[in-house]
Amino acid sequence: MGLFGSTGLRAGVIGTGSVAETAHIPAYLNHPKTTLAAVAELDEGRRESVVSEYDIGSGYRDGKQMLEEENLDLVSICTPAGTHRDLFLAAAKAGCHIYCEKPLTTSIESAERMAEAAAEADVITQIGYTRAYVENYQAVLAMKAHHLLGDIKRVRVHRVRSPPAGGWNFDPEMSGGGVVADQLGHILDFYIRVFDTAPDVKSVTLERLDIPNVEDYAEITLEFDGVPVELLLHWTPYAKHHRNLLVSTRGLLEFNLESLNGQIQGETVAQKYGKQPFVDLRGEFRAWWGGSNDFHDARVTDFIDHVLEDNYDTVAPIQRGVEVTQIIADIYNRSELQ
């Protein structure tokens, strides 16, 4: 039994958009040790709908007011990045453990202040990087941990998707940037895990092709201990493509959220989201996975469990968020936007 005993945790969610409904609200409602006591949402119609649909105790327009009045144990911040700093500081002041969605914030100065506030308040934190909870990415990390990949020689990442639905993503004051701010956090977090080090930024090209205020196309080369990782990020309504290509001295892997394919040490590796996959590398490494991978629910549930166990070592604590924010700031500082 964790720190909170049989009384459980009172949780709140600030912002009730798609990520809140996909991950945070279901996780708090379904966990046996949490009660979703309140939500905060600026849009009155949206707020009333969510409170009614999920039978939530209270709905607030102002997240800070919710934090002051509700005596919460933990809170999820699911609002635009430009609002994260003030809400995070208010949550830390209230003594809440904090799950903050990515991007953590819009500047390295804000990120560092948030980390200071979390340390001063002695609260558990997690930032919303998801890849460590996705089965295909977990398999890659497991193969690396079992020394099956040999030396990684090169990585290429393509992430091409439609522009986000939220208008705030196109306001640099609110988003911190365009496709780089939106997509790169997940990628950086994962490859920092793969290489167990932060990268050097080697080259950056950012372009505004169809969106006037922020970049919607990026080519970036990073280097992790001498290994090049080449990134292409693009927002476009005309194509969808997501691929990681990892080349090592013992084979090759191609993977994304949906599938993992390749050959390692002469053996085929193949698994697909929603199927019953099988990996067998000459008896050295075997793995079976179930038929689903609800990584959105898993990441919030994992955060709740860390709070219950008084465990500050979450998958992505605030310090990882600061590290990722610094790299993204370096990328923007290196760029000449075209």
Side-chain angles (χ1 to χ4, degrees):
M1 186 174 294
L3 176 68
F4 296 88
S6 60
T7 59
L9 302 169
R10 286 175 53 82
V13 175
I14 304 176
T16 62
S18 61
V19 71
E21 275 209 286
T22 300
H24 298 265
I25 291 173
Y28 290 133
L29 290 174
N30 293 331
H31 198 288
K33 288 286 188 178
T34 56
T35 298
L36 184 52
V39 296
E41 168 61 52
L42 285 172
D43 186 285
E44 181 179 3
R46 175 74 182 158
R47 179 173 68 248
E48 292 178 352
S49 174
V50 168
V51 167
S52 174
E53 180 175 354
Y54 297 105
D55 194 24
I56 300 169
S58 301
Y60 290 81
R61 186 180 188 280
D62 187 338
K64 293 180 183 179
Q65 182 184 2
M66 182 187 80
L67 291 164
E68 291 170 359
E69 296 183 4
E70 284 292 334
N71 191 29
L72 300 173
D73 297 299
L74 71 174
V75 67
S76 288
I77 299 174
C78 305
T79 54
T83 68
H84 286 179
R85 177 187 182 275
D86 289 349
L87 291 169
F88 190 103
L89 298 183
K93 182 178 179 180
C96 287
H97 304 292
I98 306 165
Y99 193 116
C100 185
E101 277 296 340
K102 66 86 192 167
L104 173 61
T105 186
T106 57
S107 72
I108 187 59
E109 294 79 15
S110 290
E112 290 172 344
R113 178 67 192 102
M114 292 158 78
E116 291 171 0
E120 291 165 0
D122 194 29
V123 295
I124 296 168
T125 58
Q126 184 163 331
I127 312 307
Y129 309 127
T130 63
R131 300 304 186 256
Y133 294 99
V134 178
E135 287 174 352
N136 299 330
Y137 290 76
Q138 290 173 339
V140 175
L141 291 171
M143 283 185 267
K144 176 71 161 51
H146 284 80
H147 308 289
L148 297 173
L149 301 180
D151 296 327
I152 298 173
K153 303 302 291 181
R154 181 176 294 273
V155 175
R156 290 192 176 98
V157 181
H158 292 177
R159 185 69 166 119
V160 179
R161 53 156 290 179
S162 295
W168 63 269
N169 290 94
F170 312 125
D171 176 357
E173 295 298 319
M174 193 58 66
S175 64
V179 69
V180 171
D182 179 46
Q183 291 296 309
L184 191 55
H186 292 306
I187 298 168
L188 285 171
D189 174 68
F190 177 71
Y191 283 104
I192 289 170
R193 296 176 196 281
V194 170
F195 292 100
D196 195 28
T197 189
D200 295 320
V201 179
K202 306 304 288 186
S203 67
V204 179
T205 299
L206 305 183
E207 297 185 41
R208 295 172 180 165
L209 300 179
D210 296 306
I211 298 174
N213 297 325
V214 294
E215 84 286 350
D216 54 3
Y217 180 88
E219 293 183 14
I220 302 164
T221 300
L222 307 175
E223 197 170 89
F224 291 82
D225 277 344
V227 179
V229 175
E230 300 167 349
L231 311 170
L232 186 154
L233 310 175
H234 187 22
W235 281 340
T236 175
Y238 307 115
K240 180 180 180 181
H241 181 59
H242 185 191
R243 181 181 76 158
N244 295 260
L245 180 66
L246 184 154
V247 180
S248 76
T249 55
R250 296 189 184 179
L252 177 149
L253 293 172
E254 186 172 346
F255 59 97
N256 56 27
L257 298 174
E258 302 293 331
S259 63
L260 165 64
N261 298 282
Q263 285 195 326
I264 296 295
Q265 298 189 21
E267 300 292 333
T268 297
V269 176
Q271 64 182 41
K272 186 173 178 62
Y273 179 73
K275 304 293 183 182
Q276 186 73 23
F278 175 68
V279 178
D280 187 348
L281 299 181
R282 298 182 179 179
E284 296 180 67
F285 177 78
R286 291 190 177 101
W288 292 261
W289 282 267
S292 66
N293 179 208
D294 189 354
F295 61 88
H296 286 300
D297 181 86
R299 62 193 177 103
V300 182
T301 299
D302 188 41
F303 169 66
I304 296 167
D305 291 340
H306 275 75
V307 173
L308 286 165
E309 296 163 6
D310 197 29
N311 182 353
Y312 290 71
D313 189 23
T314 61
V315 162
I318 183 67
Q319 293 82 6
R320 174 56 60 85
V322 174
E323 183 177 28
V324 168
T325 303
Q326 180 64 69
I327 298 165
I328 291 174
D330 292 344
I331 287 169
Y332 280 121
N333 289 336
R334 284 282 300 271
S335 72
E336 292 185 7
L337 195 59
Q338 299 178 21

